[in-house]
Amino acid sequence: MILVFGKTGQVATELARQAPDATFLGRDAADLSDPEACAAAIREHRPGAVINAAAYTAVDRSEEEEDLARRVNGEAPGAMARACAELGIPFVHVSTDYVFDGKGETPFSPDDATAPLGAYGRTKLAGEEAVRAAGGVHAILRTSWVFSAHGGNFVKTMLRLSESRDALSIVDDQVGGPTPAADIAAACLAIVGKLSDSRRLSGVYHFSGAPDASWACFARETFDRAGRDVTVTGIPTAEYPTPAARPLNSRLDCSATLAAFGIDRPDWRQGLDAVLSELGAT
């Protein structure tokens, strides 16, 4: 049995579709602001593997709530990983491109130096470090620009804005790989299966959609495929200030994930078509 932390988030929702026999713990059953309660839940359920698909993801708000974000993103994954190490079971933890500073244009590899720009990235990096320190069988899967038909995400925001706007200015100098939550879920399940057979695969991996694109490009593709007549003007990040700094370069080198698990980068445009269809937006 697989135990999943998360129930209503984008990746957790897709995991429930693909692994209906798994056990899912929402906030009511396992509050990530209480790390030891999360560890206790693992010991109680004694699963065959654990996937952590839950996190504090409010990037801007984390600048004001870094202590809470650190408990959820840093301390809780560490407690989960230690419990998994005690039980000798694999642990898959979803992380983020925000652990990098976004400099340059070269895709970041898993072993590149980390240098988060803000509180969200710092807390997620703390979680990675705690998972590694636990010493158990684990995979840290960094991903980027997650979207689906559920929750809040860029695609749904663009569709909502298109209902009242025929022109939008979208940041064009941040580049990364939009990633369908459904593909992240599938990757997590495939990795759990491989980790169960091979401890040597423990480590940090990257997984993002292809091809890399800017937010403005992502918006144009969304409107084109949804049949929305919206003009997108690209603007620099400097013209769209936010409380938390965003990395300009969110490109991820995913070659190690392909080599270890046979999982290639998904074409996010196909995933976008599926999401738009589910939303009835095509």
Side-chain angles (χ1 to χ4, degrees):
M1 182 265 288
I2 298 174
L3 182 67
V4 178
F5 284 88
K7 195 170 186 179
T8 60
Q10 297 188 78
V11 175
T13 299
E14 294 295 343
L15 280 167
R17 290 177 166 182
Q18 298 177 33
D21 293 335
T23 297
F24 294 81
L25 301 181
R27 194 172 303 170
D28 56 336
D31 186 349
L32 270 69
S33 66
D34 184 351
E36 288 312 311
C38 296
I42 294 173
R43 297 186 185 103
E44 177 186 350
H45 284 85
R46 303 191 71 83
V50 174
I51 297 173
N52 180 30
Y56 181 112
T57 57
V59 175
D60 288 327
R61 195 165 70 242
S62 66
E63 295 296 315
E64 299 177 355
E65 297 182 348
E66 187 165 356
D67 287 345
L68 174 59
R70 186 171 294 275
R71 285 198 302 276
V72 173
N73 292 341
E75 297 172 19
M80 295 175 196
R82 288 190 294 274
C84 288
E86 291 170 12
L87 296 174
I89 59 175
F91 178 57
V92 174
H93 174 63
V94 180
S95 193
T96 175
D97 59 296
Y98 275 70
V99 299
F100 296 113
D101 60 12
K103 292 182 179 178
E105 296 183 353
T106 302
F108 287 98
S109 66
D111 56 357
D112 279 338
T114 53
L117 298 176
Y120 173 66
R122 287 192 294 269
T123 63
K124 291 294 288 185
L125 180 58
E128 293 187 4
E129 293 169 344
V131 170
R132 286 195 293 269
V137 180
H138 70 276
I140 295 164
L141 189 67
R142 294 177 182 147
T143 189
S144 63
W145 299 18
V146 183
F147 69 94
S148 69
H150 332 288
N153 58 70
F154 184 77
V155 170
K156 292 180 71 176
T157 297
M158 291 301 102
L159 292 174
R160 175 175 54 80
L161 291 175
S162 73
E163 294 172 359
S164 60
R165 306 273 291 277
D166 59 9
L168 291 169
S169 296
I170 307 292
V171 169
D172 203 23
D173 58 353
Q174 295 176 26
V175 178
T179 316
D183 290 299
I184 299 172
C188 287
L189 293 170
I191 289 170
V192 158
K194 288 287 185 70
L195 284 178
S196 298
D197 297 329
S198 182
R199 185 185 185 92
R200 66 178 179 79
L201 293 176
S202 284
V204 181
Y205 296 94
H206 288 173
F207 183 72
S208 64
D212 292 323
S214 71
W215 287 114
C217 174
F218 191 11
R220 292 188 187 101
E221 196 73 27
T222 299
F223 296 138
D224 286 348
R225 290 173 181 265
R228 306 289 174 91
D229 187 14
V230 179
T231 300
V232 174
T233 300
I235 60 171
T237 297
E239 292 185 19
Y240 188 72
T242 54
R246 266 67 172 171
L248 296 181
N249 177 19
S250 288
R251 301 171 181 87
L252 297 176
D253 180 345
C254 304
S255 56
T257 310
L258 177 61
F261 301 106
I263 303 171
D264 205 353
R265 298 180 67 185
D267 187 329
W268 60 264
R269 296 164 297 190
Q270 294 179 8
L272 178 58
D273 285 340
V275 167
L276 293 174
S277 178
E278 183 172 352
L279 291 171
T282 56

